[in-house]
Amino acid sequence: MSARRILTACAMLALAALPALPAAAQEWRGWNIHAADYPNGQAMDAFTRMVGERSNNRIRMRTFHSAQLGQQDEAIQQMRLGTIDFGNFNLSPFNNLAASTNVVTLPFLFRDVGHMQRAIDGVAGEAIARELEAIGIIALAWYDAGARSLYTTRPVRTPADLRGMKIRVQTSDLWIDLMRGLGANPTPLPFGEVFTSLQSGVIDGAENNWPSYESTRHFEVARFFTTTEHSNVPEVLAVSRQRWQRMNEAERNMMREAARESAALQRRLWAEREMVSRQRVVAAGVTVIEINDRSPWAALMEPVYAKYAATPALAGLVRSIREMR
């Protein structure tokens, strides 16, 4: 063997003996519409800490809370393009992108929170995850978002009271049809515009859960809360498919486990926050109108079910959820 070959072989052996250098750290940007101290914000921060620790800080995730990276529809598009790496989204804005998300958005579908959680952790979540992946989003875990009810600038006790009222809804055909079915004039608006729109009279009301109503201070301009509990749409903690495809199986499993642990935390914090938020707005003088019999409201939703659960697959998913015990 020549001297040059001997030197080359020695150099290669020396390089092989060196410890492997860690892969370059990945900087991930995350989106959240809520404030950092909201249950979702706290759970997302726990998720990013766990991923950082379990990846030896190779995956460094930072959540931009309070919609710093844009409103929800914009953030979903950025996620699909890969310019946002992870986020926590309500499923309603996906209604026009993934048909199965319409099912869990259907009004008066779930009997209670436990029923919703069993469905989204099982058959409903599996169906939705498949469709979200097809549009570039990987579902990791499911957060609670509470039962949604109406809040308005004047009392609403029956569907008849909604006639002619302009009610803010999310950007979704289903939500537009839902509110129209109740007799209201649905008005799609970004969430960040609701307070000023209520204040100026552009809208007469909106619909959301107790923590959102309280934390945004919407109760200051819409003083009547009607417990229709017409919808209990879960939320998804997800990552961009572009990021996911660059991860190995061990990293994916680690991230899914961290996401599930963050979901357990979020659900516990959510239940606590709902009680506190209701107490706060009642103490501030809000009039709570309790709806004990929701059957007159639910009866108006038959056309919504006929339209949005029309295929055999979607009708079968509705049936599976209703039969759950």
Side-chain angles (χ1 to χ4, degrees), residues 183-206:
N185 293 332
T187 307
L189 283 175
F191 188 61
E193 296 179 14
V194 174
F195 186 96
T196 54
S197 297
L198 285 165
Q199 192 174 44
S200 63
V202 170
I203 56 176
D204 303 303

Side-chain angles (χ1 to χ4, degrees), residues 40-61:
N40 302 49
Q42 293 182 62
M44 287 188 75
D45 286 344
F47 168 65
T48 61
R49 284 195 301 273
M50 286 187 281
V51 170
E53 292 166 0
R54 296 172 190 182
S55 68
N56 294 319
N57 214 32
R58 194 175 70 79
I59 301 176
R60 300 172 183 169
M61 309 176 99

Side-chain angles (χ1 to χ4, degrees), residues 39-279:
N40 302 49
Q42 293 182 62
M44 287 188 75
D45 286 344
F47 168 65
T48 61
R49 284 195 301 273
M50 286 187 281
V51 170
E53 292 166 0
R54 296 172 190 182
S55 68
N56 294 319
N57 214 32
R58 194 175 70 79
I59 301 176
R60 300 172 183 169
M61 309 176 99
R62 178 186 174 190
T63 303
F64 291 81
H65 301 287
S66 302
Q68 293 178 63
L69 301 181
Q71 291 300 315
Q72 188 156 232
D73 290 344
E74 300 165 338
I76 289 170
Q77 183 62 17
Q78 290 183 67
M79 172 85 86
R80 298 178 70 189
L81 295 171
T83 54
I84 285 178
D85 300 303
F86 67 103
N88 162 219
F89 302 100
N90 188 276
L91 290 177
S92 294
F94 291 103
N95 289 166
N96 297 339
L97 300 170
S100 58
T101 63
N102 286 296
V103 171
V104 294
T105 313
L106 286 169
F108 307 103
L109 175 65
F110 300 114
R111 294 184 298 274
D112 51 36
V113 173
H115 182 204
M116 181 275 293
Q117 290 178 349
R118 291 191 296 278
I120 199 64
D121 289 340
V123 61
E126 292 166 4
I128 292 168
R130 286 193 295 270
E131 287 200 64
L132 291 182
E133 183 170 2
I135 63 169
I137 292 171
I138 305 298
L140 297 181
W142 309 99
Y143 285 2
D144 281 0
R148 299 174 75 97
S149 291
L150 290 165
Y151 52 90
T152 51
T153 55
R154 62 178 188 265
V156 171
R157 293 182 172 84
T158 68
D161 295 329
L162 278 171
R163 288 176 191 152
M165 293 183 73
K166 300 183 294 294
I167 305 297
R168 180 266 176 179
V169 294
Q170 299 177 76
T171 307
S172 158
D173 291 343
L174 187 151
W175 277 100
I176 291 170
D177 288 341
L178 185 161
M179 202 55 63
R180 189 174 287 140
L182 292 177
N185 293 332
T187 307
L189 283 175
F191 188 61
E193 296 179 14
V194 174
F195 186 96
T196 54
S197 297
L198 285 165
Q199 192 174 44
S200 63
V202 170
I203 56 176
D204 303 303
E207 54 79 46
N208 218 311
N209 52 60
W210 286 108
S212 293
Y213 178 56
E214 176 261 324
S215 65
T216 55
R217 306 198 73 80
H218 290 175
F219 67 90
E220 294 179 353
V221 285
R223 305 287 290 170
F224 300 92
F225 192 98
T226 305
T227 62
T228 50
E229 297 185 357
H230 50 270
S231 182
N232 199 332
V233 184
E235 300 197 351
V236 63
L237 176 61
V239 301
S240 164
R241 187 177 63 192
Q242 294 188 35
R243 277 289 194 186
W244 191 250
Q245 289 174 336
R246 297 196 291 270
M247 299 172 69
N248 60 42
E249 197 60 29
E251 290 171 327
R252 292 177 179 179
N253 290 337
M254 175 273 295
M255 193 163 285
R256 284 194 188 279
E257 183 62 28
R260 284 192 290 266
E261 290 178 33
S262 81
L265 171 64
Q266 190 272 346
R267 289 175 178 182
R268 177 174 60 79
L269 294 174
W270 182 267
E272 295 169 358
R273 180 63 184 270
E274 275 192 319
M275 290 188 293
V276 170
S277 293
R278 176 166 181 156
Q279 291 167 358

